[in-house]
Every structure is written in C-alpha cells, then in structure tokens.
Amino acid sequence: GKVVEARATQGRASGRVQVSNPAPSPLTQSFFVATLLPNLNDMLAAARSSKGKWQRYDEEKAMYQSMIKADIRAAHLKPMARVSVSFLWHEKNKRRDKDNICAAQKYIFDALVEQQILVNDGWDEIAEIHHAWVVWPQQPGCLVTLEAA
C-alpha cells in the first residue's frame, strides 16, 4: 500500500499511516479494459477482408466496444468535460509494435463517448494523450486514466 506521512499538530506526535487504497481524487478516474484489444494490423486486416465494405471491421469494433463499455460501467465513472488521458497497455509479450497497439485507443474513446463519460473525443475534450507499455502476460489489457484538464 501507499505510505502517507502525518504531520504533528498542536503537540501531537507525527507518525506514518498505512493507506491500503486511498480514495481517488474526483479529478481523476481510471478503469481497466480487461481484454487484449486489436492492434492497427488487426483492424486493417478486418477492413480488407470485407472487400471495401468495412463490415467485418464494424462487427469487430462493436464487439470490442461492448466489452470496453462493460468495463466503463463496472468502474462507475462520472462524466468529465476536458481530460488528459493516459493509457498503460498491458501486453502478453513484445511481439506487437507499440505504435500499432495504440490504434485501439479509437475503440476506447468511442466507448467513453457512447457511455456519456465524454461529450466528444475532439480537441475541445481531449487535452493530452499519453501512452506507456508493460509486458504483463498474466493480465493483458489496458489501464485508462482520465484526469481533468
């Protein structure tokens, strides 16, 4: 857990308090997408397989967005006006290129808009986007953090 130092006030001794799960700031919210999302190569393959009609891409996007929306609902997120978004991508291994992995942010942003957490995913609503990656084969997916901007 996180250790927080308590300061002495009015003659009381200072000490260290163990905080196992600090209350989240109302300005920051997070949720975990508990599935390995498709990368750009997967999305392009789906689009190509439909012979220019995008049908398979649309079907796969709807399927993944359904999973993401369930994760958003489980996290009980509150609507936010303008945010900086951080993605921590949990990968099974280092086989997929980092720039291709990031393409899945499209599905996440669209799900946040559909769930009315964000009004839109344009310039007025998204201040910054940050990406980081870890190899974590036990729990692939993506930790998404929204911070008020």
Side-chain angles (χ1 to χ4, degrees), residues 28-145:
T28 302
Q29 302 183 91
S30 296
F31 67 100
F32 188 76
V33 177
T35 189
L36 190 66
L37 296 171
N39 65 16
L40 180 61
N41 294 332
D42 300 329
M43 293 176 194
L44 292 174
R48 280 191 215 105
S49 73
S50 299
K51 297 182 170 65
K53 296 182 182 171
W54 294 85
Q55 180 181 357
R56 186 167 151 227
Y57 169 84
D58 290 340
E59 290 168 354
E60 287 187 9
K61 182 175 185 261
M63 178 189 69
Y64 283 108
Q65 277 189 240
S66 176
M67 289 186 252
I68 296 165
K69 289 189 290 188
D71 293 328
I72 292 169
R73 285 190 300 274
H76 304 289
L77 300 183
K78 304 290 184 239
M80 299 179 79
R82 183 168 167 79
V83 295
S84 292
V85 184
S86 297
F87 297 93
L88 179 57
W89 302 96
H90 294 206
E91 289 291 306
K92 290 182 179 181
N93 50 47
K94 293 183 179 180
R95 289 189 186 131
R96 303 188 326 158
D97 293 340
K98 291 178 178 180
D99 59 334
N100 287 335
I101 294 165
C102 295
Q105 73 181 342
K106 171 69 175 157
Y107 294 172
I108 295 170
F109 279 122
D110 288 352
L112 286 164
V113 171
E114 286 183 21
Q115 289 300 118
Q116 300 179 349
I117 306 305
L118 300 175
V119 172
N120 196 353
D121 58 356
W123 287 70
D124 290 337
E125 296 80 21
I126 309 299
E128 298 177 339
I129 301 171
H130 302 276
H131 296 277
W133 302 262
V134 295
V135 174
W136 199 334
Q138 302 83 359
Q139 190 168 31
C142 185
L143 177 64
V144 182
T145 303

